[in-house]
Amino acid sequence: MKLDSIGRYAPSVTRIAISLVFLWFGINQLFLPENFLGYLPKFLLELGFAKTVVMFNGIGEIILAGCLLAGFLIRPVSLLLSIHLLSIIISLGYGDIAVRDFGLMIVTFAVFLGGADLWSIDYRKRKM
């Protein structure tokens, strides 16, 4: 098998990989919200329901990651997740975690740019 022939799978692998990252973070926020409290802006911590905010964020990330994993509504979901990561980056300020999230944001935005791929529901719907 020539490497050129497998390049067409790169968008699918990228979409699936980034969706698994979001899924991991979402599940961890849902079950271990206290581990994510340090990433919240101070005003949310002072309101007294910071764990609930983290858990709702986790639920949202799980839902969006599931859609992305299935390849359903790829463009709107990946754009929303890119914007979500941008808001986290802005909130955190410059640092190692923000740099990591910047990389994740660029990958997620690349999925937005690519749209439907060979292994997605969106692609199958378009072919019908």
Side-chain angles (χ1 to χ4, degrees):
M1 177 185 296
K2 291 185 179 183
L3 289 180
D4 290 341
S5 66
I6 61 173
R8 63 190 175 132
Y9 298 110
S12 300
V13 171
T14 303
R15 174 184 51 81
I16 291 167
I18 197 68
S19 67
L20 292 174
V21 170
F22 280 108
L23 192 60
W24 184 89
F25 275 103
I27 290 169
N28 276 279
Q29 288 174 64
L30 191 58
F31 292 106
L32 302 166
E34 57 279 347
N35 291 352
F36 293 87
L37 294 177
Y39 302 115
L40 291 178
K42 286 189 181 196
F43 77 90
L44 283 176
L45 291 171
E46 295 168 356
L47 293 177
F49 52 88
K51 274 189 178 180
T52 305
V53 170
V54 170
M55 291 173 74
F56 274 113
N57 187 71
I59 291 168
E61 285 187 9
I62 290 168
I63 292 168
L64 293 173
C67 288
L68 202 57
L69 184 62
F72 180 66
L73 299 173
I74 291 173
R75 281 211 161 111
V77 167
S78 58
L79 181 61
L80 189 59
L81 286 169
S82 296
I83 293 168
H84 176 60
L85 281 170
L86 180 60
S87 72
I88 291 169
I89 293 164
I90 291 169
S91 171
L92 290 175
Y94 179 75
D96 54 347
I97 294 171
V99 171
R100 175 205 61 196
D101 287 348
F102 180 76
L104 295 173
M105 181 190 71
I106 296 301
V107 171
T108 307
F109 191 71
V111 171
F112 163 76
L113 293 175
D117 57 64
L118 293 174
W119 296 341
S120 68
I121 290 173
D122 290 351
Y123 179 81
R124 303 248 181 244
K125 284 177 20 183
R126 193 174 61 193
K127 295 283 275 187
M128 291 180 173

Coordinates of all heavy atoms in Angstrom, one line a residue, residues 6-23 65 67-71 74 78 81-82 85 103-120:
I6 N -3.4 6.2 1.3 CA -4.0 6.3 2.6 C -4.2 7.7 3.1 O -4.9 7.9 4.2 CB -3.2 5.4 3.7 CG1 -1.8 5.9 3.9 CG2 -3.3 4.0 3.3 CD1 -1.1 5.3 5.0
G7 N -3.7 8.7 2.4 CA -3.8 10.1 2.8 C -5.2 10.6 2.9 O -5.5 11.5 3.7
R8 N -6.1 9.9 2.2 CA -7.5 10.4 2.2 C -8.2 10.1 3.5 O -9.3 10.6 3.8 CB -8.3 9.7 1.0 CG -8.3 8.2 1.1 CD -8.8 7.6 -0.2 NE -8.8 6.2 -0.1 CZ -9.8 5.4 -0.5 NH1 -10.9 5.9 -0.9 NH2 -9.7 4.1 -0.4
Y9 N -7.6 9.2 4.3 CA -8.2 8.9 5.6 C -7.7 9.9 6.7 O -8.2 9.9 7.8 CB -7.8 7.5 6.1 CG -8.3 6.5 5.1 CD1 -7.4 5.8 4.3 CD2 -9.7 6.2 5.0 CE1 -7.9 4.8 3.4 CE2 -10.2 5.3 4.1 CZ -9.3 4.6 3.3 OH -9.8 3.7 2.4
A10 N -6.8 10.8 6.4 CA -6.3 11.7 7.4 C -7.4 12.6 8.0 O -7.4 12.8 9.3 CB -5.2 12.6 6.8
P11 N -8.3 13.2 7.3 CA -9.4 14.0 7.9 C -10.2 13.2 8.9 O -10.6 13.7 9.9 CB -10.2 14.5 6.7 CG -9.2 14.4 5.5 CD -8.4 13.2 5.8
S12 N -10.5 11.9 8.5 CA -11.3 11.1 9.4 C -10.6 10.8 10.7 O -11.2 10.9 11.8 CB -11.7 9.8 8.7 OG -12.4 10.0 7.6
V13 N -9.3 10.4 10.6 CA -8.5 10.1 11.8 C -8.4 11.4 12.6 O -8.5 11.3 13.9 CB -7.1 9.5 11.3 CG1 -6.2 9.4 12.5 CG2 -7.3 8.2 10.7
T14 N -8.2 12.5 12.0 CA -8.0 13.7 12.8 C -9.3 14.1 13.5 O -9.3 14.4 14.7 CB -7.7 14.9 11.8 OG1 -6.5 14.6 11.2 CG2 -7.5 16.2 12.6
R15 N -10.5 14.0 12.9 CA -11.8 14.2 13.5 C -12.0 13.3 14.6 O -12.4 13.7 15.7 CB -12.9 14.1 12.4 CG -14.3 14.2 13.1 CD -15.4 14.0 12.0 NE -15.3 12.8 11.3 CZ -15.6 11.6 11.7 NH1 -16.1 11.4 12.9 NH2 -15.5 10.6 10.9
I16 N -11.8 12.0 14.4 CA -12.0 11.0 15.5 C -11.1 11.3 16.7 O -11.5 11.2 17.8 CB -11.8 9.6 14.9 CG1 -13.0 9.3 14.0 CG2 -11.8 8.6 16.0 CD1 -12.8 8.1 13.1
A17 N -9.8 11.6 16.4 CA -8.8 11.8 17.5 C -9.2 13.0 18.3 O -9.2 12.9 19.6 CB -7.4 12.0 16.9
I18 N -9.6 14.1 17.7 CA -9.9 15.3 18.5 C -11.2 15.1 19.2 O -11.4 15.6 20.3 CB -9.9 16.6 17.6 CG1 -9.8 17.8 18.5 CG2 -11.1 16.7 16.7 CD1 -8.5 18.0 19.2
S19 N -12.1 14.4 18.6 CA -13.4 14.1 19.3 C -13.1 13.3 20.6 O -13.8 13.5 21.6 CB -14.4 13.4 18.4 OG -14.0 12.1 18.1
L20 N -12.2 12.3 20.5 CA -11.9 11.5 21.7 C -11.2 12.4 22.8 O -11.4 12.1 24.0 CB -10.9 10.3 21.3 CG -11.6 9.3 20.4 CD1 -10.6 8.2 20.0 CD2 -12.8 8.6 21.2
V21 N -10.4 13.4 22.4 CA -9.9 14.3 23.4 C -11.0 15.1 24.1 O -11.0 15.1 25.3 CB -8.9 15.3 22.7 CG1 -8.5 16.4 23.7 CG2 -7.7 14.5 22.2
F22 N -11.9 15.6 23.3 CA -13.1 16.3 23.9 C -13.9 15.4 24.8 O -14.4 15.8 25.9 CB -13.9 17.0 22.9 CG -13.4 18.3 22.4 CD1 -12.8 18.4 21.1 CD2 -13.4 19.4 23.2 CE1 -12.3 19.6 20.6 CE2 -12.9 20.6 22.7 CZ -12.3 20.7 21.4
L23 N -14.1 14.2 24.3 CA -14.9 13.2 25.1 C -14.2 12.9 26.4 O -14.8 12.8 27.5 CB -15.0 11.9 24.3 CG -16.0 10.9 24.8 CD1 -17.4 11.5 24.8 CD2 -16.0 9.7 23.8
A65 N -18.7 16.2 21.4 CA -17.7 15.2 21.1 C -18.4 14.0 20.4 O -17.9 13.4 19.5 CB -16.9 14.8 22.3
C67 N -21.2 13.9 18.7 CA -21.6 14.3 17.4 C -20.4 14.3 16.4 O -20.4 13.8 15.3 CB -22.2 15.7 17.4 SG -23.9 15.8 18.1
L68 N -19.3 14.9 16.9 CA -18.1 14.9 16.1 C -17.5 13.5 15.9 O -17.1 13.2 14.7 CB -17.0 15.8 16.8 CG -15.9 16.4 16.0 CD1 -16.5 17.2 14.9 CD2 -15.0 17.2 16.9
L69 N -17.6 12.7 16.9 CA -17.1 11.3 16.7 C -17.9 10.6 15.6 O -17.3 9.8 14.8 CB -17.2 10.5 18.0 CG -16.7 9.1 18.1 CD1 -15.2 9.1 17.7 CD2 -16.9 8.5 19.4
A70 N -19.2 10.8 15.6 CA -20.1 10.2 14.6 C -20.0 10.8 13.2 O -20.4 10.3 12.3 CB -21.5 10.2 15.1
G71 N -19.4 12.0 13.2 CA -19.4 12.8 12.0 C -20.7 13.4 11.6 O -21.0 13.6 10.5
I74 N -20.6 18.1 11.4 CA -19.2 18.3 11.7 C -18.8 19.8 11.7 O -18.1 20.3 12.6 CB -18.3 17.6 10.6 CG1 -18.4 16.1 10.8 CG2 -16.9 18.1 10.7 CD1 -17.7 15.3 9.7
S78 N -17.6 21.5 15.2 CA -16.2 21.8 15.3 C -16.0 23.3 15.4 O -15.1 23.7 16.1 CB -15.4 21.2 14.1 OG -15.9 21.7 12.9
L81 N -16.8 24.1 19.0 CA -15.7 23.7 19.9 C -14.5 24.5 19.8 O -13.8 24.8 20.7 CB -15.4 22.2 19.6 CG -16.5 21.2 20.2 CD1 -16.2 19.8 19.6 CD2 -16.5 21.2 21.7
S82 N -14.2 25.0 18.6 CA -13.1 25.9 18.4 C -13.2 27.2 19.1 O -12.3 27.7 19.8 CB -12.9 26.2 16.9 OG -12.6 25.1 16.1
L85 N -12.8 26.6 22.8 CA -11.4 26.5 23.2 C -10.8 27.9 23.2 O -9.9 28.2 24.0 CB -10.6 25.6 22.2 CG -10.7 24.1 22.5 CD1 -10.1 23.3 21.4 CD2 -10.1 23.8 23.8
G103 N -3.2 24.6 20.3 CA -3.0 23.5 19.3 C -4.2 22.7 19.1 O -4.6 22.4 17.9
L104 N -4.9 22.4 20.1 CA -6.2 21.7 20.0 C -7.2 22.5 19.2 O -8.0 22.0 18.4 CB -6.8 21.3 21.4 CG -5.9 20.3 22.2 CD1 -6.5 20.2 23.6 CD2 -5.9 19.0 21.5
M105 N -7.2 23.8 19.5 CA -8.2 24.7 18.8 C -7.9 24.7 17.3 O -8.8 24.7 16.5 CB -8.1 26.1 19.3 CG -9.0 27.1 18.7 SD -8.7 28.8 19.1 CE -7.2 29.1 18.3
I106 N -6.6 24.8 16.9 CA -6.2 24.8 15.5 C -6.6 23.5 14.8 O -7.2 23.5 13.7 CB -4.7 25.0 15.3 CG1 -4.3 26.4 15.8 CG2 -4.3 24.8 13.9 CD1 -5.1 27.6 15.1
V107 N -6.4 22.3 15.5 CA -6.8 21.0 14.9 C -8.3 21.0 14.8 O -8.9 20.6 13.7 CB -6.3 19.9 15.8 CG1 -6.9 18.6 15.4 CG2 -4.8 19.8 15.8
T108 N -9.1 21.5 15.8 CA -10.5 21.5 15.7 C -11.0 22.4 14.6 O -12.0 22.1 13.9 CB -11.1 21.9 17.1 OG1 -10.6 21.1 18.1 CG2 -12.6 21.8 17.1
F109 N -10.3 23.5 14.4 CA -10.7 24.4 13.3 C -10.4 23.8 12.0 O -11.1 24.0 11.0 CB -10.0 25.8 13.5 CG -10.6 26.8 12.6 CD1 -11.8 27.4 12.7 CD2 -9.8 27.3 11.5 CE1 -12.3 28.3 11.9 CE2 -10.3 28.2 10.6 CZ -11.6 28.7 10.8
A110 N -9.3 23.1 11.9 CA -9.0 22.3 10.7 C -10.1 21.3 10.3 O -10.4 21.1 9.1 CB -7.6 21.7 10.8
V111 N -10.7 20.7 11.3 CA -11.8 19.8 11.1 C -13.0 20.6 10.5 O -13.6 20.1 9.6 CB -12.2 19.0 12.4 CG1 -13.5 18.2 12.2 CG2 -11.0 18.1 12.8
F112 N -13.2 21.8 11.1 CA -14.2 22.6 10.5 C -14.0 22.9 9.1 O -14.9 22.9 8.2 CB -14.3 23.9 11.4 CG -15.0 25.0 10.7 CD1 -16.4 25.0 10.6 CD2 -14.4 26.1 10.1 CE1 -17.1 26.1 10.0 CE2 -15.0 27.1 9.4 CZ -16.4 27.1 9.4
L113 N -12.8 23.3 8.8 CA -12.4 23.6 7.4 C -12.6 22.4 6.4 O -13.1 22.6 5.3 CB -11.0 24.1 7.3 CG -10.7 25.5 7.9 CD1 -9.2 25.8 7.9 CD2 -11.5 26.6 7.3
G114 N -12.3 21.3 6.9 CA -12.4 20.1 6.1 C -13.8 19.6 5.9 O -14.2 19.0 4.8
G115 N -14.7 19.8 6.9 CA -16.1 19.3 6.8 C -16.2 17.8 6.7 O -15.4 17.1 7.4
A116 N -17.2 17.3 6.0 CA -17.5 15.9 5.9 C -16.3 15.1 5.4 O -15.6 15.5 4.5 CB -18.7 15.7 5.1
D117 N -16.0 14.0 6.0 CA -14.9 13.1 5.6 C -15.5 11.7 5.3 O -16.7 11.4 5.5 CB -13.8 13.0 6.6 CG -14.3 12.6 8.0 OD1 -14.8 11.4 8.1 OD2 -14.2 13.4 8.9
L118 N -14.7 10.8 4.8 CA -15.1 9.5 4.3 C -15.9 8.7 5.4 O -16.7 7.9 5.0 CB -13.9 8.7 3.8 CG -13.2 9.2 2.6 CD1 -12.0 8.4 2.3 CD2 -14.2 9.2 1.4
W119 N -15.5 8.8 6.6 CA -16.1 8.0 7.7 C -17.2 8.7 8.5 O -17.5 8.4 9.6 CB -15.1 7.5 8.6 CG -14.1 6.6 8.0 CD1 -14.2 5.9 6.9 CD2 -12.8 6.3 8.5 NE1 -13.0 5.2 6.6 CE2 -12.2 5.4 7.6 CE3 -12.1 6.6 9.7 CZ2 -10.9 4.9 7.8 CZ3 -10.8 6.1 9.9 CH2 -10.2 5.2 9.0
S120 N -17.8 9.8 7.9 CA -18.7 10.6 8.7 C -20.2 10.4 8.2 O -20.4 10.0 7.1 CB -18.4 12.0 8.6 OG -18.6 12.5 7.3

